[in-house]
Amino acid sequence: MLALPTLSLYIHIPWCVQKCPYCDFNSHAQPEVIPEQAYINCLLDDLRADLAYVQGRQLQSIFIGGGTPSLFSAEGIARLLNGVESLIGFAPDIEITLEANPGTFEAARFRGFCDAGVNRLSIGVQSFNAQHLKRLGRIHDAAQAKQAAQLAAELVSQGKLQSFNLDIMHGLPDQTEAEALDDLAQAIALQPPHISWYQLTIEPNTLFASKPPTLPDDDTLWDIYEQGHQRLDAAGYQQYEVSAYGQVNHRGQHNINYWRFGDYLGIGCGAHGKITLPNEARILRTEKVKHPRGYLDLSRSFVHRSWDVAPSERVFEFFMNQLRLLEPVPKQRFVALTGLALETAERALANSIQRGLVIDQGEYWQTSAQGRLYLNAILGELLEQA
């Protein structure tokens, strides 16, 4: 019997000032006038069409991503969140995150987002190095990034914001170890409650994929990771996921729900959802229409496609998410959220346990220190068995 997990909501706003060469997200260069009100109308209609999936639950978190959601007005975000709350109840401690780029907002709008109900911001800094920012296609400079972080910190101190995150990327084209660690040092100096520190990967269907840049070699990447991790740890940031570091009580709850195989509704262009239907013994995935023109076409459905996660695929899907976290994995969670027998997972993990990549701790599984370095190998083996 499938259990009904925690429910979150992802809202996708697809427009950016310009498309970055490394980005494989569903984003589009903004038109001369963004159809903000029409798009919000569609988002709320999209959510109404998915209300049967709520099944009596409250929303534990909302993440407004993109694209660049901070291109929308504070008034528009307020209307959107008020509309969502009128349709689905909010948990008392709900986390509401909005992605923002340093070059797309000013102080009044930033405060307005908080007044609209946003209580966590995720600021896409990526680098403080002018040369690397230009290579990444970013439209802000280091001064704007620091000003954004300082403003967010001020709003936290005023009680208008609960937390904020800085995104910092390493392993950039032609980046030296010293440059990567300097970016991280500048981020730490701003004292954000949360830092997402992750390595650039070249994704298909991006400009970098068609014209691959020169990236640091593996030895340099390892040295960057090892030293960077030590610096984050020394500064009081606890690693709880492959690329997520938080000060005490500042873990990102929305992403944790993803990684714990929780449920989430996805509304907006190209948004994905994952819904458990216990009465039908099904796990359903949904994907919405990708292009804004099609999504705004009121004559068609918002759903591009939907499909069931077959029982044979659930082992891989569960561990693909769960093993990103450094916390132990309760065996009972696997049974409850996949509807599969415990023996199914034990057979699938047997080789990884024998090799010392995963440790069986009785009621839990835990990746070993070596297993965290070879996570792709564990997942590759699970995928082959799916």
Side-chain angles (χ1 to χ4, degrees):
M1 178 66 178
L2 286 168
L4 197 59
T6 299
L7 181 66
S8 296
L9 172 66
Y10 175 74
I11 302 173
H12 191 76
I13 295 178
W15 293 286
C16 286
V17 174
Q18 63 184 28
K19 183 81 171 180
C20 296
Y22 61 87
C23 179
D24 70 334
F25 293 124
N26 184 36
S27 60
H28 305 264
Q30 67 181 73
E32 185 174 343
V33 178
I34 293 177
E36 180 176 305
Q37 295 305 316
Y39 191 74
I40 292 171
N41 290 342
C42 285
L43 286 172
L44 295 175
D45 285 344
D46 189 356
L47 184 58
R48 289 186 187 95
D50 280 354
L51 287 180
Y53 299 146
V54 175
Q55 302 171 91
R57 290 172 287 183
Q58 293 182 318
L59 287 176
Q60 303 296 317
S61 66
I62 298 174
F63 194 100
I64 306 173
T68 307
S70 52
L71 290 172
F72 270 33
S73 68
E75 294 77 13
I77 296 299
R79 178 174 168 244
L80 172 61
L81 291 176
N82 288 335
V84 171
E85 189 172 17
S86 72
L87 296 171
I88 309 177
F90 286 5
D93 59 347
I94 188 171
E95 175 192 89
I96 303 177
T97 303
L98 181 137
E99 284 187 333
N101 286 340
T104 60
F105 64 81
E106 31 69 36
R109 178 178 289 190
F110 216 12
R111 291 189 175 91
F113 291 143
C114 298
D115 293 337
V118 172
N119 56 29
R120 183 176 183 270
L121 289 161
S122 184
I123 305 172
V125 173
Q126 313 310 353
S127 177
F128 295 96
N129 182 295
Q131 179 181 348
H132 293 140
L133 286 170
K134 182 177 180 181
R135 189 74 182 274
L136 292 173
R138 307 300 289 174
I139 63 172
H140 66 271
D141 58 28
Q144 288 173 314
K146 292 177 180 179
Q147 182 183 20
Q150 289 161 357
L151 177 56
E154 180 182 330
L155 292 170
V156 170
S157 69
Q158 294 171 353
K160 294 181 178 293
L161 201 61
Q162 292 179 6
S163 188
F164 69 96
N165 167 67
L166 296 185
D167 274 349
I168 302 294
M169 195 184 298
H170 63 275
L172 307 180
D174 301 311
Q175 185 183 48
T176 66
E177 180 182 330
E179 288 171 337
L181 294 174
D182 181 63
D183 273 346
L184 184 59
Q186 291 190 64
I188 291 172
L190 293 166
Q191 298 184 319
H194 191 281
I195 294 178
S196 295
W197 188 58
Y198 55 98
Q199 181 182 321
L200 169 67
T201 55
I202 305 300
E203 302 289 351
N205 303 315
T206 63
L207 183 59
F208 276 175
S210 62
K211 299 179 179 179
T214 301
L215 301 180
D217 59 38
D218 288 344
D219 287 342
T220 300
L221 289 172
W222 172 249
D223 288 341
I224 290 170
Y225 172 78
E226 190 172 41
Q227 292 192 47
H229 176 75
Q230 291 173 1
R231 294 186 184 194
L232 284 160
D233 184 65
Y237 292 92
Q238 299 173 352
Q239 184 184 25
Y240 65 96
E241 186 267 342
V242 171
S243 58
Y245 297 77
Q247 295 176 345
V248 176
N249 298 324
H250 284 284
R251 297 182 174 189
Q253 296 306 310
H254 187 84
N255 283 347
I256 284 179
N257 188 48
Y258 288 157
W259 297 323
R260 288 179 177 166
F261 209 50
D263 277 0
Y264 50 95
L265 300 169
I267 60 173
C269 294
H272 287 250
K274 177 251 174 185
I275 298 297
T276 303
L277 301 170
N279 292 337
E280 303 173 36
R282 296 169 61 202
I283 296 176
L284 178 71
R285 290 202 175 272
T286 61
E287 180 185 352
K288 302 301 172 65
V289 172
K290 290 185 177 181
H291 199 281
R293 184 169 55 252
Y295 187 82
L296 289 164
D297 181 356
L298 300 180
S299 68
R300 61 183 292 176
S301 169
F302 295 112
V303 180
H304 171 60
R305 63 182 182 130
S306 62
W307 66 98
D308 282 10
V309 180
S312 61
E313 299 169 334
R314 293 177 191 175
V315 175
F316 172 75
E317 293 232 358
F318 177 85
F319 285 110
M320 177 182 66
N321 290 279
Q322 182 67 72
L323 292 183
R324 288 186 62 92
L325 290 170
L326 272 60
E327 67 184 19
V329 183
K331 293 182 178 180
Q332 185 53 40
R333 183 184 296 162
F334 171 84
V335 174
L337 298 187
T338 66
L340 301 174
L342 180 60
E343 291 76 16
T344 307
E346 290 176 334
R347 286 195 300 271
L349 291 173
N351 191 47
S352 293
I353 292 172
Q354 184 177 8
R355 294 165 61 194
L357 303 179
V358 175
I359 301 169
D360 189 330
Q361 296 181 318
E363 295 183 357
Y364 302 88
W365 296 291
Q366 173 76 66
T367 50
S368 65
Q370 185 182 20
R372 292 169 196 164
L373 300 177
Y374 292 94
L375 184 58
N376 286 340
I378 300 172
L379 296 178
E381 191 169 274
L382 292 173
L383 183 60
E384 289 177 2
Q385 299 175 46

